[in-house]
Amino acid sequence: MSAVLFFIAAIGAITGAVGVVMLGSQFYSVLALVIHLVALAALFLLLRAEFVAAAQVIVYAGAVMVLYVFVVAYVGGGDEEATRSGLRFLGPLLALALAVELCVALLGTALKGISSKGARFVPGFGTPADIGKLFLTKFLLPFELASLLLLVAAVGAIVLARRRRGLEPDEEREARYHPRLPAWVGSMAEAGGLTRFEEPPAPPAAEPEPESAPIGSQS
Amino acid sequence: MTATTFGWLVLLCPLVGMVVIALGYKVLPGRTPGWIATAAIGLSFACAVVMLVKLLDLPTAHRQLTSSLWNYASSVGVNAKMGILVDPLSVFMVLVVSGVSTLIHLYSVSYMSGDRGYTRFFAYLNYFVFSMLLLLLAGNFLLLIVGWAFVGAASYLLISFWYRRTTATRAGIKAFVINVVGDVGLVLGTFFIFTHTGTLDFLQTFAAVPHVFHHNSTDLVVGCLLLLVGAFAKSAQVPLHTWLPDAMEGPTPVSALIHAATMVTAGVYLIARMHPLFELAPTAADIGAVGGCLTLLIAGTIGLTVTDVKRVIAYSTMSQIGYMIMGAAAGAYSGALFLLMAHAFFKALLFMAAGSLIAAMAGNQDLDRMGGFRRALPFTFGCFLIGGMALSGLPPFSGWFSKDDILAFLDHRGGGFEIMGIAGYIGAILTAIYTFRLIFRAFLGAPCPEAKELEEGHLAHAEVPTNPQTGEVEDTDVGFPGPEHHIAEREWPMKVAMGTLAVLATVGGFLEVPGVDDAIRRFLEPSFSTSQLAASVPSTGADWIGLVIGAAIAVVGVVIAYRIWVLAPGTAAVIRERFAPLYRLFVNKWYFDEIIDYAIVRPAQWFGQVAETVIDRTLVAEGITGGTVSVIGAVSAAVRRTQTGFLRYYVALMLLGVSGVVIYFLVAG
Amino acid sequence: MAIGWYLAVSAVIFSIGAAGVLVRRSPLVVLLCLELMLNAANLALVAFSRMWGSEDGQVFALIVMVIAACEVTVGLGLIVAMYRRRMPLDVDDLRELQG
Amino acid sequence: MTRVPPIHIAATHIKGPPIDWVGLAPFVTLTIGALLVLLIGLLRSPIARERIVPALSVVTLAVTIGYEIATFHHQTSIISGALRIDDLALILDLVFAIAGLAAVILSVREPGATDAGHGEYHSLLLFSILGMAVLVSAQNLVTLFIGFELLSIPLYILCASDSRRAASLESGLKYLVIGSVGSATLVYGLALIYGATGTTDFVPISAAITGSSVQPGGLLNDPLLLTGIALSIVGFAFKASVAPFHQWTPDVYEGAPTPITAFMATATKAAAIGVFLRFFDVAVIGVQSTWAPLLAALATITIIVGNVGALGQSSTKRILAYSGVGQAGYMLAGVVVGTQLGITATVFYIVTYLPVNLAAFAVIVARQRQRAGGEDLSALAGLGTRQPWLAWPMTIAMLSLAGIPGTVGFIGKLYLIRALVGGNYTWLAVMIVVGSMISLGYYLRVVATMWMSSPQAESASARVPAGGRPAIAGGSDEADAADAGGWPTPDRAVANAEVAAVAVLFGAAGVFFGIIPSPLLQLAAHAGRSITGIF
Amino acid sequence: MTLTILIWLPLAIGVAVSALPPALVGRATAILSLAPLGVAISFLARFKIGHAGLQFVTDHTWISAFGIHYKVGLDGLNVALVVLTTVLFTASMAWSATREWERPRLFYFFLGLAQSAVLGAFCAQDLFLFVAFFDLMLIPFYFLTGMWGTGERVRATTKLVIYTLVGSFFMLVAAIATAVLASNAYGTSLTFVLSSLQHLQLSHTSQDWVFLCFAVAFLVKMPLVPFHGWLADGYRSMPIPAVAVFSGVLSKVAAYGFLKIVLPLFPYASVHYQTLMLVIALVSIIYATSLAFTTTQARLVVAYSSVAQLAFIVLGIFSLRPQGGQGALLQMLNHGLVTAPLFFIVAALAVRCGGSEDIREMGGLAFRAPVLAALFLIVILANLAMPGSSNFAGEFLILLGVFKAKLAISVIAFLGVIGAAVYSLRVYIRTMHNPLGPKAHSHEISWRDALPIAALVVVILALAFYPQFGLRRSDQSLRATMAPAEVQDGLSPAAVVAVTGSGRR
């Protein structure tokens, strides 16, 4: 029974993965990844990792993928013409070599465990309770750091993705009813609503002349 | 005040003279430098005389005095002191050198006046005398070599004295380089001897030699041969003689002083000084004798054909020194030194006379253009005649006694030396011929234009001064003989100098008359006390036989010369036709210059060219340096080419690296 | 099923992800492929944790998940920024820096 | 392991691990500082954002440094063995903090900072430092990996922070993608190691490798473990920009804002080498005989590639990037030896590498503020006459990197060679020497440009390269005018006061410690001794 | 008054004068540079003759971790060279002081730095200290050539530095290896102090490669064929004061290194490679000589002649006979004194020929410049080692040593002596004599130019009368430094005494 489930899930995961790589449209790639993740979650379950599986489904298939979809929609994920360079063939070959090596490594080990079904199952193994306990005791520091890391990521996303003056596609029109946006527009400061529209000392660099400032070399 | 003190004074005088003249080159007016120089040398001659007296006071056994001022270079087993050796030999040489030099200085005072380089000339001249005296008084090998090289340098400076003449500078460098070859020989020879004796000091060496060397041992023979190289280079013996004729580029007094009277005889002095070595290495000595013998013949033959007055005398000098070398090497030390002294007198005299003659010719030295100066230059003619007769060994002039003394000794030793003796007689006849060829052609016969002009009472002056060798117009602002010339008839210093020498050349021979007296041998005896050869002297009778033969041969030579150039002036041309190839050989100086040029000079230059162009530019610059650079450059270009900027290529390379590393571990594990 | 099977699957997925990074030019998809690689690691971790019966592997997997999320967020942010700058969304056109 | 039945689980029963706050203090300081900076960055007034924020970051780093110095010799392992605080870690932390300090000072007036918002910018910087600190004292695979990421992710963002330049974004993306591949490889490798040994803690891992707890005879030849090590080597090597995993380095260094480049070139490299030391000399020292040859080979390749690649470059930043690759090779050589001496040498080399590199980058920053294309080599032409206070630090830096006596670089090389010769790796020492010879080719080129080429030649070639931009808008013309006119106008000199100060300070340090190296040497010696178990 | 003061005084001066207005810097430096000269002479005066050991030792621990000491001291080997250094630098500064240099402060700072480095290298009694100073010497010359040079200066200076540093880096490895291997082999703590290293002989195999590394470093510095690739460009581009001290002193440091470090530390290798070194030297002599009488650049003639001279010095050192060593030491002194004025004279000649240093465009300059001609003559005669010059005494001893060691080599080496005469006189005649050259406009040498040359000429003449000056101090130390190699070479100390002592009855 478990074998059947395993094969279904494994095939699903691998197909999903292949789909991510092969499918032309970025949108389909995202969907393929979702399939892959769900299949992977199934594998996790087979490995008695309930909590990981759940996290997988919620965090990934839920949050992250949604983010993906939004971005794809925003940047208009059109089809991408197939790559021309030699990597098109070299890449898969390289990957194949890698896979072979890894399999040799994984299966060539003398460890008994590899061929076994795993250690004797202890009730409670992989439950949120156990994991959480570990997080609070042995892995306290990683746990805290992970939170910081998430904060960093959030800050980074804002820093990078916020709007900037002089870079918008339709600069002139916007300039009409948003005269001289301060430099911090779109920053967390704005998000925090701590800022009014008064005159910040705009750094002079914020006066780009489009013709004298070709995109790519803003000078 | 012992003899050595005066020995030092002998050295000091000319040195001081040189320094004074050199430093005062701006302030000293007119002929003062000349007088200062003459005074300096005269003083040192005086000191030499005192030295002689002091030495004669001592008993014969103690006539070898050494004195040293400070350590010159003495460390790690080398013991070179600033020391002199005063013994009869050196005193004798010092006397000759300083005496003749004084006279030649006196001569130059007027002869060189009017030359732009007057001061420089006398500074050089004094420097030369200093060097020569240093050579003679040196108490050890190192100092000997120093003096040896100094005289070479001085000779270089004086040969290329008129330095705007490329011929002069070329002759100078030639002389210098050949002399350096000689120095090298000397140094190497010293090494060979030093490594066995462990000392550089003469007396210690001579004391040690019999104990450290066995008879004719290889090292000693090689060492002596190398010493001979030095001697030959300095004394212009075949095959290192080619510089001497060219050295005639220098002013005539220089030729008289250096290339006749003093420097060129250093070789003879060296052999005499080193006689304990040579007597222990007969092989080397014999080779030396042969060399001298060859030289006197070759030089004689060339002397027959050359037409440059000074060069004729130069070749005769070579051949005379050939006699001395031959004699000294064969063991006739006193004879050789006797001839050396006599030669100094009459050869200096000849050169001075020639100088006067050339002055009368306004600097032209070509024998073909001369003639009939007998009336125009009576005094000069007289001196020339005396000198010539002495040179060709006519009785009772000094040349007669001295040269035939040597030849007699050779016959006395017998064996191979007999042959040399005969060769010597052949040389003698040649000498007589070319000497009188000179005299007859220059002074007898129809007067040449200059001679006529002079008879009317005014000295000829070249309107356009030209280089007598190349005929190219002279650069007259400096380093050139000067516009006016001086002849003995009009300059009393020249007269005095020449007159004195004429007298000496005439009577000098009587110092050593077989059976009557042998002042020189007796005086020199202490220096050669250890020598077996010096002890064995030919009997008086043998001596006299030799003298008679010599006189006869000289007379024959003179007669032949008279026959060819006075009675039947055409004969010379006829002979020239008859023996054309021989003549060509002689007139081209046996092709020595050409041989040396092709054998040594050109290959060296060629190698230099190759070294610069091929090896240095190509091999080192392109090869080693450029090669490395280009390799690194290529690698750098490759590295930068992989930096394509293609993100995916970077990832690809990275994954390639991953699989590489993994493979390594899988294999290594 | 033996653990080895899971590991094999994870290896395959890892390689597929790597291949994807190599062949795809849209940064978005490249990010997806990176996700694949990380997930492969996760699978391996979970499999090992099962094998040893220790939950460290699962914790590790969760941490990796967080990190994956962070990388994605930052990556997407970058992509948006580039889009705003009207820069081409094609890794092959990012060649201003080279040599 | 003993398990509590799930029924009894309640939050009350869970005892958090004991925490040694003294040891943890630097980390806490950094965290708090980062958060504070982030918050103050939200304030309205520009003063707060552009003055207080950097000031606060400086304070944070200063306090951190203070704590680290205070807790020197305080060897503990904290939070249930997640972190090990010892002299090695502390010295490396000092390096990070100093590098960060320099970066903060250089970032005043940095357009990138203004662009990203000072609060965000600086807090990210501090977080990255925190990540490094965690990384080099990690005693556990999980901690190690998260530290690795906490160090990387902020740098991805910071590289792209100057998003008005396409180059900045490009470098950010490149760094992100390649970095993620690297971390994916790393984590997979860690996973395999975990799989082979069944634990995530270093000490048990090394025990499992040598001892027979996991498997009789240990794991010395177990492909699983070895592959894991291989993959983790790649992960670290990438961070340390060791060839052939170096290719991101020149591009990212060139594209990133120069202060960040300076930070990466020094701190990141130090962190990567530090983790090399930790991981290979503690966790997997058992299989040294296997990995040492490989690392030696990698070091050789790196030395050659880095030094050779720098030869033909026209951008000073790129030259420094490649030189950084080469230097990484030298440091790796120190790791190879695997003796305390080797560790000491490596640490010392890192310490010597820090000041001179910072000085060099400071000079580049100054030039960029003064004229367009300031990172160009041509921008340095004639600097010796016109701005000696910039030319000298750069000269010292170059000479030190080349290993000329009188500078720290010389002593650093001395120590490395001494360690290598002592460890029977003389051939590697020779490789270092060969590398230095090649490196002269470009270091001297920089020096020659500054002192021996006339400003005329420079102003002729003063072009604005793609991506180059004047620090002050429209300053380009003025800057060029100033360059042509010779002396920089006073306001520029002022504008560069703090930058020049950094340059001069670190340049001076480079000479001072070159003449009196003993203090640094003792410091490094402590680091070496702090790793026990090897001789 | 410790050596430290002497070593660092020039640098201090260089720094101090940069406070003065540029116009004064030159003269100030020239005058102040008399101070180190004076100090050096005072050391010379206080030097106790007949001691093999060190005198005026200063010894502090510099880098305790490696047992590296800041140990400086004087012995017979370096005392004369130290004085020579100060003399030549003073002369160069005096020569420079009368000229305009752009950025004078920097110029004199670098000169000062160079002097300090050279002095340090000579005085260093610690292997590592020596290496450090040896490399440091190069930096000022890098700048001097690159900033004040002529022609392809940057290319030339880069070439120079890379060439020489390649050698130096190998030497660095070798030096460290020496100390490390020694301490490993004998289980002693790490030390770089020469005197202690001397008692820790390395194994033969290590000696071999270490020796080669040192040899490369030194041979490049001198330079000898085939390591002379940088020579032509470097010498042609260096400013005159720099090139004067470079060929006058820096090349000596290399030769000194052989004598001070290589022979005592690696006697086995020294004997093992004796023939190789002798042959290299021999080839250099022949090769440089032939180049010297081919090239038409006056400056290069001097350059190649100094290559030949240094080859002679190496010849003397590797005769492994005390005579050769003494000769080499004396020759170092002489060559330094000769080559510097030669470069000044070349500059003077160039001035009289429209800046060209091509002897084909010179000629007849002696006219209207008798003093210059006289100075030149004396120097050139000394350069060709005419007997009577101290150079000859040096060459005599060198060749005597070689003669004792390898007869054939010494015989061939004499070709170099003859060649020296040829090229020296050639350059003298082609410049001073012969008809007036196309570009020649002769005029008497000015006081400011004559002063440094004349001063050095006086020293040359003094030495010519008393070469012993250069020999008496070094005697003992030289025997000491040569002894290990001699023993290794089979001449037991007893034999040495026999060989050397036989002369002194």
Side-chain angles (χ1 to χ4, degrees), chain B residues 70-78 149-150 153 156 163-164 169 176 184 188 191 198 477 607-608 611-612 615-616 625, chain E residues 163 228 287 290-291 294 323 326 364 367 386-387 396 400 414 425 429 433-434 464-468 475 479 500 503:
Chain B
W70 60 73
N71 280 342
Y72 184 74
S74 83
S75 134
V76 288
V78 180
F150 271 15
Y156 156 75
Y163 56 74
R164 286 296 174 91
T169 53
F176 191 88
V184 167
L188 258 175
F191 284 175
D477 54 7
F607 178 72
E612 189 182 21
I615 304 176
D616 219 45
T625 318
Chain E
Y163 244 99
H228 65 293
Y287 186 78
S290 48
L291 281 181
T294 317
Q323 291 89 350
Q326 278 286 59
F367 166 51
M386 189 178 83
F396 184 89
L400 182 56
F414 271 103
L425 279 187
I429 289 172
H433 289 170
N434 285 359
F465 278 99
Y466 190 51
Q468 187 69 4
D475 197 310
R479 291 167 186 273
T500 55

Side-chain angles (χ1 to χ4, degrees), chain B residues 632-633 635-637 639-640 642-647 649-651 653-655 657-658 661-662 664-666 668-669, chain D residues 174 177-178 182 223 226-227 230-231 233-234 238 244-245 247 250-251 290-291 293-294 308-309 311-313 318 322:
Chain B
I632 293 176
V635 181
S636 154
V639 168
R640 275 179 282 124
T642 59
Q643 199 72 20
T644 50
F646 277 120
L647 177 56
Y649 279 108
Y650 297 176
V651 179
L653 188 68
M654 189 166 167
L655 290 175
V658 172
V661 174
V662 171
Y664 165 81
F665 271 98
L666 289 179
Chain D
K174 276 183 174 172
V177 171
I178 302 180
L226 292 178
T227 315
L231 294 180
I233 283 182
V234 171
F238 146 82
F245 315 106
Q247 285 198 296
D251 294 4
T290 315
W291 54 256
L294 179 84
V308 160
L311 281 175
Q313 301 297 342
R318 271 192 107 74
Y322 274 107

